[in-house]
Amino acid sequence: MRVLIVEDNEELARLVVGGLAKAGHPAEHAATAAEARHMLAVDTYDAVILDLGLPDADGLVIVREMRARQDPTAILVLTARAGVDDRVEGLRCGADDYLVKPFAFEELVARLEALSRRPRAMQGQVLSIANLSFDTAGRQAFVDEVPHVLSARELAVLEMLMRRKGRVVPKKLVEDQLFGAGGDLSSNAVEVYVHRLRKQLAERGALVTIHTVRGVGYMIAEAK
Amino acid sequence: MLWSRSIVRRILWMHVVAVGTIALFVPLSLYLLLVAETSSLHREAMREQADRIASHLVTTGGRWRLDLPKDMRDLYSEALGRYIYAVVGDDGTVLFSSRYAAQAIFPDAPFTSKPEFLQAEPPHSNISGTRIPRTEGDHTVYIEVAENLSHRDVLIDDIVSNFIPRVAWITLPILLLLLGVETHVVRRVFRPVQEASERARQISPRRTDIRLSLQDIPSEIAPLVVAVNEALDRLEQGFRVQREFTADAAHELRTPITILRTRIDTLVDDRVAEPLRRDLETMTRVVTQLLEMAEVENMALGDSERADLLAVAADVIAFLVPLAIAEGRSIALSGVEEPVWVAGHAEVIGRAFRNLIENAIRHTPAGTVVEVIVEADGTVHVCDEGPGIADAEREFLFRRFWRRDRKRSGGAGLGLSIVRRIMELSGGSVTVANRTDGGACFTLRFRVVPAAADQDGAAVVQAAERDDGAAPAS
Ligand SMILES: Nc1ncnc2c1ncn2[C@@H]1O[C@H](COP(=O)(O)OP(=O)(O)OP(=O)(O)O)[C@@H](O)[C@H]1O
Ligand SMILES: [Mg+2]
């Protein structure tokens, strides 16, 4: 994926560009808001990494401008402050994700890749964890490349979990996805599906664990 | 209340005292004046009558004659009994008298050559009048005229004796009315001062932009208002400098650390990178906690901020649980199912939760679960199954930089100070207890508020949830 990094610190920008290149993502650098505007106008990128503290403008202005002209490019905001309102403000302005400095480089790459997997970026794709993979276009789950039949609802739950692997999927979100928003159901209905899914994946030898975060949601991760 | 701190009350109190004194003295002095006036009227009348009698007194060949006209004779008739006269020779013989029993009116008073006002001896002390000399050749006679005061004109009598009960009371309502007017006027004059005080009350570290208006402020108080406004300017400046410094420091510190971190992360040789990364993580933790401490230290929250404890807890747990799971622990949320609205800022409260849960994860043994319990009364418990807190440690626990094991790296020793400061900001409290079956239990108590109409706090949580937070920052 092509990435534009807007960051006034030359040294950091150089390191990030180098690191991204090594991770297989060609990146370009803009040091000021003006330069970024110019580059966004003449070229298209899959994602923009945007530092909020630019010398000539507030980074959020660029977010607003891009969203105003309905530019679908994914935006990952970087900020030096874990300030109270920064995060909300950034997300409200239309940024897709947010990272506080200092960050782990791996984390930056993971977030960028997660952004590019968002529905707006691509439709069909294969999600995978350990020996488990999921084809979102064919709606089919594979363990060690062997396809397995799962019910539609089990597939829906698995897709949600795998799209956010390593992160918690709120219980409410799973409920809404399975039974529609506002659907009145017993609180352990979701737990029943997750339990079945867990059992089937285990039977087929998938090396993943679906964690129940009691009271909060579910998370899929590699089995240890 | 002899001396109140309120200026208005002091003024009114002084007025009450003044008015009370005046209410006492005015009728009294009026009464005395009235008495003096009636007695001088009486003297004048007596004098006039004596002069008139003198004008009707004539001598012919050494003999005195008195020819009073009819109207005067009627005036002195014994039937009327009010006025009497006598003309007395200088040897004390009574020449003429209005009374049958011809007597001098003031027999005991020695004669003098000037007109005199006299009062009869007891038991006739109600008889009072005048004596004037009249000389013709070398003969002198004295004309005495008196009035029986017990027969005095009813009108004058009434005025004098009834003055206090009938008339003097009018001064009291007048003075009370005056007091009412005073009260109103004083209140009016002080209203701008009172308004200024009201405004000053709203000043808080968060609202340092408020200034007191000088409009309508009495000139005596204006210098005070100006001084307060100037102090506020300096205060605001101070807060701004502090906040800017914290923000700048965050930027200046985080940028080089980020560069260092990225440089290490993009190193090829992991055997070199790994220990460097660990060192840097410790340093980053200290810097981050320090900045966070500085930030909450300079922070002030408005009264209208509210947050849903349940949503904040779910958000923070979702944020931290991947890290916990990676370390073989887990976190669970229990208690209420419905939102619990409390005073405070969602993001800031989230930081308190994060610090407590991070501690719990660090101390709870592998395979156990950190319990987060949100209760409807605005209480949140964060409980672990670790070693708990020894009684002796309790007093140090919330101190800055205090850590049980200084040799163990990884912590800054600021987490619990941050928690305490956040609870102070939110108007709540933090306490710690040990569970009977081992492990520490930190309890946060918030102030419950009615569900927010403007759900600003909720927006924060939703915004974060939409994106499902982020993986834990290390
Ligand atoms: N749940 C707990 N169980 C046992 N001891 C605890 C617990 N929480 C805190 N402590 C003790 O209190 C000390 C202070 O905690 P605090 O959170 O203030 O600092 P820290 O965790 O050491 O550093 P940091 O600022 O990075 O959080 C810890 O070092 C630890 O010894
Ligand atoms: Mg801590």
Side-chain angles (χ1 to χ4, degrees), chain B residues 136-398:
Chain B
E136 201 80 28
D138 49 333
H139 287 283
T140 298
V141 291
Y142 296 90
I143 301 156
E144 296 177 340
V145 177
E147 184 181 2
N148 185 340
L149 289 181
S150 51
H151 285 253
R152 204 166 15 175
D153 193 311
V154 179
L155 185 64
I156 295 181
D157 222 34
D158 270 3
I159 287 177
V160 176
S161 59
N162 292 337
F163 178 76
I164 298 243
R166 293 235 184 119
V167 183
W169 66 265
I170 199 80
T171 57
L172 200 68
I174 287 175
L175 290 172
L176 281 178
L177 189 74
L178 195 69
L179 192 71
V181 172
E182 282 296 342
T183 310
H184 183 69
V185 168
V186 169
R187 287 248 162 85
R188 246 188 112 87
V189 166
F190 275 97
R191 192 173 309 145
V193 178
Q194 208 140 25
E195 279 165 5
S197 317
E198 283 298 321
R199 240 178 115 62
R201 209 201 300 277
Q202 296 168 5
I203 298 165
S204 68
R206 187 185 167 85
R207 297 288 324 265
T208 47
D209 56 321
I210 293 177
R211 291 296 176 273
L212 306 182
S213 160
L214 265 176
Q215 202 187 337
D216 298 335
I217 293 279
S219 62
E220 291 87 341
I221 294 165
L224 179 66
V225 171
V226 171
V228 167
N229 280 342
E230 282 168 3
L232 284 175
D233 286 342
R234 290 193 293 274
L235 187 73
E236 189 181 21
Q237 171 74 7
F239 272 109
R240 201 175 41 239
V241 166
Q242 272 290 348
R243 279 197 270 260
E244 277 169 9
F245 177 79
T246 311
D248 291 349
H251 190 264
E252 294 306 317
L253 279 166
R254 282 201 166 109
T255 302
I257 291 178
T258 310
I259 292 171
L260 189 53
R261 173 79 207 230
T262 312
R263 205 185 291 283
I264 294 169
D265 282 351
T266 49
L267 275 180
V268 212
D269 191 346
D270 230 23
R271 277 171 311 172
V272 183
E274 199 41 46
L276 287 178
R277 195 175 299 154
R278 266 204 312 277
D279 292 349
L280 188 60
E281 255 161 31
T282 306
M283 182 178 157
T284 306
R285 174 73 185 182
V286 175
V287 168
T288 306
Q289 290 288 84
L290 265 177
L291 290 175
E292 191 130 302
M293 182 82 232
E295 199 175 1
V296 291
E297 206 56 70
N298 289 312
M299 194 181 279
L301 297 182
D303 299 333
S304 59
E305 307 264 16
R306 11 181 100 356
D308 170 14
L309 287 183
L310 191 61
V312 176
D315 188 32
V316 173
I317 293 172
F319 181 85
L320 290 174
V321 85
L323 176 102
I325 287 173
E327 294 180 355
R329 280 98 175 148
S330 190
I331 314 170
L333 177 63
S334 59
V336 288
E337 302 269 324
E338 298 298 315
V340 181
W341 290 98
V342 298
H345 191 293
E347 224 271 348
V348 176
I349 291 173
R351 293 187 200 183
F353 289 0
R354 203 187 67 214
N355 272 293
L356 289 185
I357 298 172
E358 278 172 352
N359 284 349
I361 292 171
R362 189 175 298 167
H363 291 95
T364 207
T368 60
V369 177
V370 171
E371 293 283 344
V372 179
I373 303 146
V374 178
E375 288 175 10
D377 65 353
T379 310
V380 179
H381 308 278
V382 176
C383 303
D384 61 53
E385 295 179 32
I389 308 292
D391 282 345
E393 291 173 350
R394 252 165 230 249
E395 91 181 81
F396 310 111
L397 203 60
F398 293 94

Side-chain angles (χ1 to χ4, degrees), chain A residues 5 7 10 18 21 27 46 48 83 108 115 119 121 128-129 151 161 182 185 195 200-201 204 210 215:
Chain A
I5 168 155
E7 161 68 62
E10 297 282 343
D46 298 307
V48 177
L108 177 71
L115 287 183
S128 62
I129 311 176
S151 76
L161 292 171
L185 59 142
H195 180 75
Q200 303 204 33
L201 291 176
R204 279 147 199 173
I210 299 176

